[in-house]
Amino acid sequence: CTSTLTSSPTGTGAASCRAREWMVFLTVPRMAASIARGYWARRNGVVPAGAGFLVPHVRTVQPSVLVDVDSFGHMNNAAFLVHAEMARWELSAATGLLDYALAHKAWFIVGSAAVRFRRELKPFRAFEVHSQLIHYDDRWVTVVHEFRGTGDRVADVHAQAICRAVIKTSGGKTLAPADVLSAIGVDVSAKPDVPQAWADAVVAAMRLDDALREAARTHVES
């Protein structure tokens, strides 16, 4: 950050540097813990068959008062996307997807994400993140997340999210999702167990992506 600080007399560079430092401080430990949880589940054989692909992968956590809860006394809207990302890290470690990515120097690059909030999440109340890769084509994968209560509250949906991403190598090559899934043992001929409403939501998300892409192109041209 030294060059950024010295090249920005207005202080913007310093603020940017501090923001990056805080991001590393807050995100990396949570990411490492999520990966460790995934590896532990895989090593101990507690990952259900097809979890994350044919059926949802379930992660149970609770809001962190230090980093998730805002002045309104509930989990902040931005924290939902953070927990969705942590769920994907855990899922990738639990299913072998992370091992494949490391071996091929590939990464899951998010292109778009959308969240619909339904019920607030209070501090110290555990919740589940149900994550599932339910659609892919020759380029994009679509992962859906559902934030649910636990125990007798599992039917309570607090939020839903859709994330679309590509799998790219460090050299910039986009990997075919079907090849990646097959390599980690997923039966790509099997149909994921998802409600029709989720399938419809994925189609809507794809249309939203197209509309936003066109809006960006139109703005640039004008």
Side-chain angles (χ1 to χ4, degrees):
C1 291
T2 304
S3 61
T4 304
L5 290 169
T6 56
S7 64
S8 180
T10 63
T12 303
S16 176
C17 180
R18 285 194 297 270
R20 287 196 298 272
E21 290 172 346
W22 271 106
M23 183 177 295
V24 170
F25 176 75
L26 295 174
T27 303
V28 171
R30 300 175 88 175
M31 183 179 72
S34 299
I35 292 172
R37 283 172 54 141
Y39 277 132
W40 182 91
R42 184 179 173 194
R43 185 175 299 113
N44 287 275
V46 296
V47 182
F53 306 105
L54 302 182
V55 296
H57 170 272
V58 180
R59 167 186 169 90
T60 303
V61 286
Q62 68 179 32
S64 168
V65 176
L66 294 177
V67 295
D68 291 333
V69 178
D70 60 22
S71 58
F72 294 103
H74 60 205
M75 193 161 90
N76 182 266
N77 64 86
F80 283 86
L81 283 175
V82 174
H83 280 283
E85 180 177 358
M86 295 305 122
R88 292 194 299 272
W89 278 113
E90 183 175 330
L91 166 64
S92 69
T95 59
L97 184 57
L98 181 57
D99 288 345
Y100 179 93
L102 292 173
H104 292 79
K105 297 182 180 180
W107 302 104
F108 188 84
I109 308 297
V110 174
S112 66
V115 185
R116 176 65 168 90
F117 305 102
R118 301 199 175 279
R119 291 182 176 90
E120 66 179 358
L121 276 168
K122 290 291 190 179
F124 309 112
R125 176 171 291 178
F127 63 93
E128 296 177 351
V129 186
H130 293 230
S131 308
Q132 188 174 4
L133 192 160
I134 66 171
H135 179 269
Y136 62 87
D137 53 26
D138 58 351
R139 178 179 175 86
W140 293 91
V141 297
T142 303
V143 179
V144 298
H145 302 281
E146 216 164 44
F147 293 77
R148 291 182 168 272
T150 58
D152 59 357
R153 294 177 177 269
V154 72
D156 293 347
V157 177
H158 294 272
Q160 297 156 295
I162 294 180
C163 171
R164 301 190 71 223
V166 293
I167 306 170
K168 280 187 174 291
T169 66
S170 57
K173 178 184 177 182
T174 299
L175 301 181
D179 293 342
V180 176
L181 296 177
S182 294
I184 63 172
V186 176
D187 182 1
V188 295
S189 65
K191 193 173 183 180
D193 181 17
V194 294
Q196 183 59 43
W198 263 125
D200 295 341
V202 169
V203 173
M206 294 167 66
R207 289 174 177 167
L208 176 61
D209 272 5
D210 291 341
L212 291 175
R213 188 180 300 109
E214 179 62 20
R217 185 188 64 79
T218 303
H219 176 74
V220 170
E221 290 180 352
S222 62

